[in-house]
Amino acid sequence: MKIKSLFASLLVLTLLTCTFCMPTSAKKATVINGEVDIIILDKDISVETKEKIENYFASGEPATDDGASTYGLTCTLFGHKLESSTVVTVTHKVRTTSPKCVRRTYDYDACTRCDYEISELVATEYIVCC
């Protein structure tokens, strides 16, 4: 009988420990104009990179490339030093009928040495959230 209660106690203790130790992988969403939510799915991201991503996806879709970007000598000689992130945007009230909102998932890469940034659309789906 003691072995069963000891085993049950250890099991409960293990489950509680595992539950409280699980990290969350997503940062809080950034809401822009009440219409676009930007969710960055990386835990270890700098404030500068977060702001860069928010500006890039401010409209719910990637910013259009104006063709002008400044490359430093290091990037010209050795290539870009890219930092990758997964970004989810939710644009609300896109359609009049349900599902009204659209969720897009992007792979986003930005150079840490210059202002080069690029994204690739991975998935698009309409969701019910409004």
Side-chain angles (χ1 to χ4, degrees), residues 44-91:
D44 304 321
I45 193 166
S46 66
V47 175
E48 294 85 19
T49 305
K50 183 178 183 282
E51 290 174 358
K52 197 173 186 180
I53 290 172
E54 289 170 359
N55 291 334
Y56 190 75
F57 289 99
S59 68
E61 294 184 15
T64 56
D65 185 15
D66 59 1
S69 60
T70 54
Y71 292 0
L73 181 61
T74 309
C75 290
T76 303
L77 294 175
F78 303 111
H80 296 292
K81 182 179 178 186
L82 296 177
E83 184 178 75
S84 299
S85 301
T86 301
V87 178
V88 176
T89 62
V90 177
T91 308

